[in-house]
Amino acid sequence: MTGLTGPVRVGGRTAPSRVLFGPHETNLARGRALADRHVAYYRRRAEGGAGIVVTETAGVHDSDWPCERAPLAAACGPGWRSVVDACRPHGTLVVASLGHAGGQGSSAYHQSALWAPSRVPDPVSRELPMEMEEPEITTLIAGFRDSAALAAESGVDGVEIDAGQYSLVRQFCSGLTNHRRDAYGDRGRLLREVLAAVRAAIGDRILGLRLACDEGAPWAGITPEQAAALVHDVAGLLDYLVPVRGSAFADSRPDLRTEPGFNAGLCRSLAGSVTTVLQGSVVDPARAEQALEYAGLVEMTRALIADPDLVRQVRIGRTPRPCVLCNQMCRVRDPRNPVVSCIGEPRSGHETEDPLGGPGSGAVLVAGGGPAGLEAARVLALRGFDVELTERDDRLGGMVRIAARVAGRERLGRLVDWLEAEVRRLGVRVSTGVETREPDGRPVIVATGSTAGPRDYAVEGGAVLDVVTVLAGAALPDGPVVVHDPVGDWVGAGVAELLAGRRAVAIVSPDPVIAARTGDLAGVNTRLQRAGVTLVKRSRPRVVRRDHVVAEDVHTGAVRELPCAVLVHCGHRWPDPALPGVAVGDAVAPRTIHEAVLEGRRAAVAL
């Protein structure tokens, strides 16, 4: 796969591979400056062979403060310099992303009106922005110019201008948000002026453009045809173009339900006048290699979060740790300010405080072959321990195998497939169909998972099945199904969707919206309604009877009867520690794949 992992000229510079690590929110900043955590994060991708690292987008003016830890270009000079110094020994090119969120930002931090081309409230926040006048537009262009000059002085190889899904420059390009009648009613004018100012500021350094080329709103938004005209006008200023899809009307970062490489057609249609970068859930190296038929570079951001060594692994013929496109830990626009990470590689984003562990020796038993046990066994074997792993089921993978049977979640199984292949490659002795209940003197990591938890409703002659039993293939009686979902994650909604094609299904949740913890409320609820699932919100089951469930409104106490042949219980599970030792993952407290892998790795490092 020499095309993807071999060098390539970009502008007047050479990148060691065609893999680009794109700009994304990380919450790694200290204040509004790129921090030591950023430096370690980007260094790790450079060590692993990334050809170009594009740093997190920095705002070009202090009117832009879209989230608490959003970098501000004026504060990023030392950080850019440190990132360059960290990546330079590996040959990786460093490009600084510059932008302004405009009307898609937030006024919560700077407590001033949002800037926008026209008075169009954002459909998500509903906040009404101010319409920029000539002084603000002049200041904005100067902000791009001065920020680019600062980045160049800091030693970066180039600058990427953000005119993507969440940018003020896009808002000027789009009929959705630009209703002006002055000179900037020419929707390409601001883009042209910004790029010209930046090119003058950085000289012959690399200039890239991330451009929203399909907003998913053809009645007024940017279409691929309009994007082609925009690109035609600025191509002579650019060294590369990243065509992206999405806006407030279309998801810009689909999850594992969307086929990877979804922007291939868009990228191919714009190839020719300027080097294009394929972006859009590209996580498979073979698919990335194929894209080089029409693209000069391939953005593999989430894949490099999942495995910083992706390029190195491909070069030596090994399979990288897979990105399953779950968005669970790498999408961090969240009031809790989580740091970017990955369910399969929890060290991502935590490189400065999470040690790798030195060499070790001796025999260790890992009881349980789910994600926690597999990761513990993998890390122990890498450190040099003699590892035995036992699993009571006839197949490794634990609850991830079950979760992968939920509608649309099949890709999750790839992570435990990779972990299983790694522990076998590293010489771990694996026994399935074996339940370990007694310690034998060796240190034990206990990763024995969970059991069904308690239920807070009465069962008076009705049938109740735990969701794990159902997903494992248990036969259901004929008749309507009620899915009880007190957790609000992907499980209850996914099971309801899975069963809806075969019978009448209702889902009962105590929340005012179904699947409240998924982060994909519109998508989940739309799919459930299209599948014909009855959504019973703000409710909980009180009694399960032979042919119906009595459900109670959690606010008013009003009750209703739901036809039911069987209730599928999707509640919290309880730990099953099984034997003495260092418990990890679900054997401590049943949670997500991320906590299981993280704790398995930590236990293996601490031994």
Side-chain angles (χ1 to χ4, degrees):
M1 203 172 288
T2 56
L4 186 66
T5 61
V8 61
R9 293 286 286 178
V10 182
R13 310 193 178 207
T14 300
S17 75
R18 294 177 183 263
V19 176
L20 181 144
F21 190 51
H24 55 285
E25 291 178 9
T26 66
N27 278 330
L28 294 173
R30 311 279 188 188
R32 300 202 66 188
L34 297 181
D36 56 326
R37 300 188 295 189
H38 281 104
V39 176
Y41 185 63
Y42 295 131
R43 176 193 291 118
R44 187 69 189 83
R45 275 74 204 167
E47 290 172 348
I52 299 177
V53 161
V54 185
T55 58
E56 184 169 359
T57 301
V60 299
H61 188 263
D62 57 14
S63 60
D64 182 33
W65 198 343
C67 56
E68 184 178 353
R69 297 179 188 167
L72 180 66
C76 287
W80 283 324
R81 170 65 66 184
S82 295
V83 172
V84 169
D85 291 344
C87 294
R88 187 71 76 227
H90 308 286
T92 300
L93 303 182
V94 176
V95 172
S97 175
L98 300 175
H100 192 300
Q104 289 175 278
S106 170
S107 62
Y109 304 104
H110 56 57
Q111 297 185 341
S112 300
L114 300 177
W115 286 11
S118 301
R119 296 182 185 92
V120 178
D122 180 67
V124 176
S125 71
R126 312 295 170 88
E127 184 167 350
L128 184 72
M130 62 173 274
E131 183 172 300
M132 296 169 69
E133 301 292 345
E134 186 174 338
E136 288 84 27
I137 294 174
T138 300
T139 298
L140 177 68
I141 296 169
F144 274 102
R145 179 198 63 214
D146 295 345
S147 299
L150 175 60
E153 292 168 8
S154 303
V156 301
D157 296 285
V159 165
E160 180 180 294
I161 300 304
D162 182 15
Q165 304 98 330
Y166 303 104
S167 71
L168 180 53
V169 178
R170 177 204 63 79
Q171 291 155 35
F172 269 86
C173 293
S174 172
L176 294 169
T177 43
N178 185 347
H179 300 164
R180 302 177 73 98
R181 296 185 179 277
D182 64 2
Y184 287 94
D186 171 357
R187 292 172 185 153
R189 177 170 176 170
L190 182 72
L191 176 65
R192 296 192 299 270
E193 292 181 347
V194 165
L195 291 174
V198 169
R199 173 54 80 192
I202 67 172
D204 63 357
R205 282 178 166 82
I206 295 167
L207 177 54
L209 172 64
R210 183 168 298 261
L211 180 65
C213 295
D214 184 353
E215 292 188 281
W219 60 90
I222 301 168
T223 65
E225 294 74 22
Q226 292 169 341
L230 291 171
V231 171
H232 177 270
D233 290 343
V234 299
L237 295 167
L238 300 176
D239 293 301
Y240 71 78
L241 169 72
V242 188
V244 298
R245 188 186 305 270
S247 67
F249 296 92
D251 191 3
S252 60
R253 192 174 179 182
D255 64 8
L256 70 178
R257 300 181 71 97
T258 299
E259 183 65 20
F262 57 86
N263 276 338
L266 185 62
C267 183
R268 191 189 296 269
S269 71
L270 291 165
S273 59
V274 63
T275 297
T276 53
V277 181
L278 175 62
Q279 180 274 348
S281 300
V282 185
V283 293
D284 176 52
R287 180 172 296 221
E289 180 79 18
Q290 293 170 1
L292 298 180
E293 296 174 5
Y294 53 88
L297 297 143
V298 182
E299 182 174 323
M300 302 187 74
T301 303
R302 281 185 280 180
L304 284 163
I305 298 174
D307 193 339
D309 287 317
L310 181 143
V311 176
R312 181 187 294 168
Q313 299 277 38
V314 173
R315 281 177 177 152
I316 64 175
R318 284 188 188 156
T319 302
R321 183 188 290 103
C323 169
V324 297
L325 297 171
C326 66
N327 286 342
Q328 184 174 318
M329 299 301 299
C330 59
R331 195 169 193 169
V332 298
R333 182 67 73 90
D334 186 309
R336 299 169 299 174
N337 280 337
V339 167
V340 67
S341 196
C342 176
I343 64 168
E345 175 48 298
R347 193 167 184 267
S348 285
H350 298 272
E351 289 84 357
T352 58
E353 65 261 6
D354 213 342
L356 292 170
S361 62
V364 182
L365 173 65
V366 177
L374 285 167
E375 176 68 359
R378 185 188 73 86
V379 174
L380 287 167
L382 284 170
R383 295 183 60 201
F385 287 93
D386 175 20
V387 186
E388 180 181 6
L389 183 149
T390 61
E391 166 56 48
R392 61 188 164 207
D393 290 337
D394 59 2
R395 189 180 182 192
L396 300 178
M399 288 296 292
V400 177
R401 298 284 184 204
I402 300 296
R405 297 176 185 174
V406 172
R409 310 287 283 174
E410 297 83 3
R411 290 186 67 93
L412 292 175
R414 300 187 184 194
L415 177 57
V416 287
D417 287 343
W418 182 84
L419 286 168
E420 178 176 354
E422 283 295 289
V423 299
R424 295 187 186 279
R425 180 182 71 82
L426 293 167
V428 174
R429 300 191 309 283
V430 176
S431 300
T432 56
V434 174
E435 185 163 13
T436 303
R437 287 291 182 182
E438 297 294 333
D440 59 7
R442 291 176 290 178
V444 182
I445 292 179
V446 181
T448 44
S450 63
T451 60
R455 302 165 184 171
D456 61 352
Y457 47 85
V459 180
E460 298 177 358
V464 176
L465 289 176
D466 185 74
V467 64
V468 173
T469 303
V470 172
L471 290 172
L476 299 179
D478 294 335
V481 175
V482 171
V483 175
H484 173 40
D485 180 24
V487 179
D489 61 8
W490 295 102
V491 176
V495 170
E497 186 181 354
L498 187 68
L499 297 175
R502 294 175 259 171
R503 61 187 73 223
V505 177
I507 182 169
V508 179
S509 169
D511 298 316
V513 62
I514 303 298
R517 294 180 56 239
T518 63
D520 184 25
L521 301 183
V524 171
N525 283 268
T526 298
R527 289 194 298 271
L528 290 173
Q529 291 180 70
R530 286 176 176 169
V533 176
T534 300
L535 311 184
V536 184
K537 309 167 192 175
R538 300 189 329 177
S539 300
R540 60 182 177 179
R542 302 306 292 161
V543 183
V544 182
R545 297 200 170 108
R546 182 183 60 81
D547 59 358
H548 70 275
V549 168
V550 178
E552 177 186 75
D553 187 292
V554 297
H555 296 303
T556 68
V559 297
R560 62 185 289 190
E561 293 185 356
L562 305 172
C564 179
V566 60
L567 182 141
V568 178
H569 181 83
C570 301
H572 289 96
R573 298 177 64 79
W574 278 15
D576 181 18
L579 75 162
V582 179
V584 296
D586 285 5
V588 176
R591 289 151 292 160
T592 72
I593 299 172
H594 173 254
E595 287 85 10
V597 174
L598 173 64
E599 292 177 7
R601 199 184 69 77
R602 283 181 175 171
V605 168
L607 196 64

